[in-house]
Amino acid sequence: MGRVALVTGGSRGIGEAISKALNAKGYSVAATYAGNDQKAAAFTEETGIKTYKWNVADYDASAAGIARVTEEIGAIDTVVANAGITRDAPFHRMTPAQWNEVVDTNLTGVFNTVHPVWPGMRERKFGRVIVISSVNGQKGQFGQVNYAATKAGDLGIVKSLAQEGARAGITANAICPGYIATEMVMAIDESIRQKIISGIPAGRLGTPEEIARCVTFLASEDSGFISGSTISANGAQFFS
Ligand code: CAA
């Protein structure tokens, strides 16, 4: 049976690798993006995966977008809440705007993405909810009070959803990537990044594909008894 997967932030970075990996496993994939039309068009041209533009921070836009995906591709049974942003600053310089943007996108965005698909999953008695959290939600990070709070919040979301979804055949799990070679990590000042890498026992950044493989594992039919869990993929940087 063909499964339909929604990947938010699915045309770039870790999300791009997730969309491609699910597509390669036979899922019909809808990848959302927020702003970069050019990259999204190139991604569709390369992969054949359809992209949809909406802001995950906006509930009505998410619900309308999900209704469109359902109509055009089919009922969504696998949702990967991946879209996320950083607005790093030491707490004493962090502005309310930096706090709100990150909370609205990374945390409320997960609610906005999962809530509209949840009733259908309950009705069909199958669902896979996978939230991309972060090592920094587990350990905290200098300069990321906002981001770490949202990524820790993701873990609360999946542990609660796991309990609510269990009887309906829905699993909910989180993946906590460590530092992965994406634009987000490459945007960190070079000297700070090198210091971070020197603190990773594996001695390197992770790859987006290494995270995508965690997703395909959790998404599979065979992973039905794994729920409320967290996979840490961080090169042994941190153990929770
Ligand atoms: N621990 C303790 N002190 C630290 C520190 C740390 N980790 N990082 C910086 N400091 C200190 C600095 O040494 C400096 O001290 P002095 O003034 O005494 O020299 C002071 O804090 C200010 O540091 P900066 O000069 O770096 O300050 P800044 O305002 O220019 O930059 C910052 C602040 C933007 C937070 C910058 O430090 C930074 O980018 N840090 C990296 C944050 C990070 O890891 N972000 C992850 C992004 S990727 C991601 O989020 C994906 C994922 O899930 C992993």
Side-chain angles (χ1 to χ4, degrees), residues 55-65 108 111-113 115-116:
N55 178 1
V56 296
D58 179 336
Y59 186 87
D60 291 340
S62 297
T108 307
F111 176 87
N112 294 346
T113 300
H115 192 257

Side-chain angles (χ1 to χ4, degrees), residues 70-114:
T70 305
E71 207 180 290
E72 292 178 13
I73 302 186
I76 296 161
D77 37 41
T78 302
V79 59
V80 186
N82 164 76
I85 59 169
T86 55
R87 296 289 181 267
D88 294 356
F91 187 58
H92 62 278
R93 278 208 298 274
M94 186 172 286
T95 63
Q98 287 172 321
W99 169 265
N100 287 326
E101 270 182 77
V102 170
V103 170
D104 291 351
T105 303
N106 297 11
L107 189 61
T108 307
V110 176
F111 176 87
N112 294 346
T113 300
V114 180

Side-chain angles (χ1 to χ4, degrees), residues 115-179:
H115 192 257
V117 300
W118 190 254
M121 289 179 169
R122 280 165 48 88
E123 269 166 37
R124 293 185 301 278
K125 298 268 179 281
F126 180 87
R128 294 283 183 267
V129 174
I130 299 161
V131 181
I132 306 302
S133 175
S134 166
V135 66
N136 291 345
Q138 298 171 299
K139 71 171 186 56
Q141 171 60 43
F142 187 103
Q144 288 200 308
V145 166
N146 50 4
Y147 184 88
T150 63
K151 295 300 180 176
D154 287 342
L155 305 183
I157 291 174
V158 299
K159 287 172 188 171
S160 304
L161 286 180
Q163 293 174 48
E164 293 196 20
R167 298 287 286 273
I170 306 170
T171 67
N173 292 285
I175 298 167
C176 286
Y179 282 76

Side-chain angles (χ1 to χ4, degrees), residues 195-205 234-239:
K195 226 163 103 191
I196 290 169
I197 294 172
S198 70
I200 302 173
R204 64 171 177 88
L205 298 173
N234 62 33
Q237 186 186 1
F238 181 77
F239 309 115

